[in-house]
Amino acid sequence: LLMQDPKLLLLDEPVAGMTDEETERTAQLFVSLQGAHSLVVVEHDMKFIDELTRDDPAKKVTVLHEGSVLAEGSLAQVQANDKVVEVY
């Protein structure tokens, strides 16, 4: 897909079923795309999300619940959000 030089990549659970090593390499690949592509990643693996967002406070994590935004901010902010803790 990168050969087509897309501006936006929509990725649904891209590391599902991967080993820890594969997940880490995938995170490194996604981080390397910064500036050339925008990524929207739907993922339940918070370690992976941490790897994608830890070095850039401008990267947002959005938590959805029943089709609505429940919380948005840094990974630490959403993990500490009382609503997120209650729902998940």
Side-chain angles (χ1 to χ4, degrees), residues 1-20:
L1 291 174
L2 291 175
M3 295 293 292
Q4 298 172 350
D5 197 29
K7 292 181 182 180
L8 176 65
L9 294 166
L10 302 174
L11 303 156
D12 186 16
E13 305 241 7
V15 297
M18 289 187 181
T19 66
D20 290 343

Side-chain angles (χ1 to χ4, degrees):
L1 291 174
L2 291 175
M3 295 293 292
Q4 298 172 350
D5 197 29
K7 292 181 182 180
L8 176 65
L9 294 166
L10 302 174
L11 303 156
D12 186 16
E13 305 241 7
V15 297
M18 289 187 181
T19 66
D20 290 343
E21 182 181 331
E22 292 167 332
T23 298
E24 185 176 324
R25 288 194 343 236
T26 301
Q28 291 169 355
L29 170 65
F30 288 177
V31 169
S32 76
L33 298 175
Q34 184 173 337
H37 306 277
S38 295
L39 279 71
V40 174
V41 179
V42 176
E43 185 59 65
H44 292 92
D45 183 337
M46 292 300 101
K47 182 179 175 189
F48 178 68
I49 296 301
D50 181 49
E51 290 178 33
L52 293 180
T53 62
R54 79 170 62 125
D55 294 328
D56 188 349
K59 293 180 181 173
K60 290 184 192 177
V61 174
T62 303
V63 177
L64 301 174
H65 178 66
E66 296 181 353
S68 297
V69 174
L70 183 64
E72 190 169 66
S74 69
L75 180 58
Q77 289 171 324
V78 299
Q79 288 179 320
N81 183 297
D82 291 337
K83 292 179 187 176
V84 173
V85 172
E86 180 183 331
V87 170
Y88 291 100

